[in-house]
Amino acid sequence: MPQGLIIKGIGGFYYVKTEEGIVECRARGKFRNENITPLVGDMVTVSIHNNSNSLDKIHERKNQLIRPPVANVDQLIIVFAAVKPEPNLELLDKFLIVAELNNMDIAICINKIDLIEAPLIEGMFAPYKEAGFNIIYTSTKKDIGIEDLKLYLKDKVSVFSGPSGVGKSSLLNKLHPSFNMETGEISKKIERGKQTTRHTQLLELHEGGYVADTPGFSSLEYEAMKVDYEELDYLFPEFRDFLGQCKFTGCSHTKEPGCAVKNAVEEKQVNKRRYESYVRMYDDIKKLGRNY
Ligand code: GDP
Ligand code: ZN
């Protein structure tokens, strides 16, 4: 029986990319009974019949995003603008946590670099580079970095996310001839008015790999993060070398004496602003009483 990837779902039909081409099928009734909805990005088994094909089995998911609804996302491309709007680094830190929690690869894409001097922006993101994150600088206006971005997308299923106005739609339009997204706030509002339901699709890239045609969440609440404050430290990759070296086991790295992470901040081995971002998230999540 053919296996494949759901690239589109519309009106109860699923479109599955298999080795033999795209198969249109309906989900078996058992999924409805079990309250399971097949998602774009699902790996599935289908069977081919004369009158109608059926989607028989959904393979186990490695993760699942809610916005956009896509399963098995390999990579999150987190887009911020160099300016207009000014990057909100604390928000970036939250996006990074969500990606780490969901086992997704991460690429940080800084767009609109045509509007700012390169050293200024590289300085701002140096702590992220030092922490080991991939950073791509792009400009859709001046066609900078688009080829680099394509290299990151190759052979992966990627979702773009980031605040509104940073250039996500403009970037998607550069990647694929069939991306044809409205850019700019006013036209998007008109577009949303016209189209009440948007169906997310995975578009196959010429170079290999897929990109969701709907950008992801643009702001985050801790509610959605499902992170345990006691595990937050592991989600800051630049802390990992120091964890386990604190004086107290179970050190929260906020107030305890003899904390190796705090010490690393003092010795400038860990960026102070990233550390402060950690402390704020830790306190906020703790206040919510979250421990999963
Ligand atoms: P989205 O809300 O993240 O999807 O952002 P859009 O793609 O709609 O872009 C928002 C605005 O930024 C539009 O007016 C774009 O023309 C503009 N924009 C997008 N990319 C760039 C860029 O690289 N440089 C400059 N200067 N403007 C850009
Ligand atoms: Zn500590």
Side-chain angles (χ1 to χ4, degrees), residues 167-214:
K168 297 181 295 297
S169 312
S170 307
L171 284 164
L172 289 171
N173 287 343
K174 287 268 167 200
L175 294 173
H176 196 284
S178 60
F179 280 114
N180 185 11
M181 305 193 50
E182 288 288 347
T183 60
E185 266 314 297
I186 296 163
S187 44
K188 268 185 216 162
K189 276 189 190 133
I190 297 167
E191 186 71 7
R192 273 197 293 267
K194 279 193 296 200
Q195 242 175 304
T196 43
T197 45
R198 237 202 101 77
H199 296 277
T200 298
Q201 278 188 54
L202 287 180
L203 295 183
E204 191 169 9
L205 299 171
H206 182 67
E207 295 81 4
Y210 294 86
V211 175
D213 71 345
T214 318

Side-chain angles (χ1 to χ4, degrees), residues 30-74:
K30 66 171 182 187
F31 295 119
R32 211 169 317 125
N33 300 339
E34 292 166 15
N35 227 347
I36 300 168
T37 311
L39 284 178
V40 162
D42 268 328
M43 284 300 297
V44 296
T45 305
V46 296
S47 54
I48 313 278
H49 309 285
N50 282 338
N51 44 1
S52 76
N53 307 320
S54 67
L55 193 165
D56 297 336
K57 186 178 168 212
I58 301 172
H59 301 202
E60 201 183 323
R61 291 173 184 157
K62 80 166 178 184
N63 59 34
Q64 166 181 351
L65 283 183
I66 296 165
R67 254 196 311 151
V70 180
N72 303 316
V73 177
D74 294 318

Side-chain angles (χ1 to χ4, degrees), residues 242-243 245-248 251-254 256-262:
F242 307 102
L243 302 176
Q245 293 176 28
C246 301
K247 187 170 169 200
F248 297 105
C251 179
S252 74
H253 326 297
T254 56
E256 298 89 336
C259 171
V261 174
K262 276 203 288 185

Side-chain angles (χ1 to χ4, degrees), residues 113-133:
I113 54 156
D114 53 294
L115 298 178
I116 196 171
E117 298 292 329
L120 282 180
I121 196 69
E122 281 166 15
M124 184 185 280
F125 289 95
Y128 294 90
K129 192 161 180 220
E130 280 154 23
F133 292 109

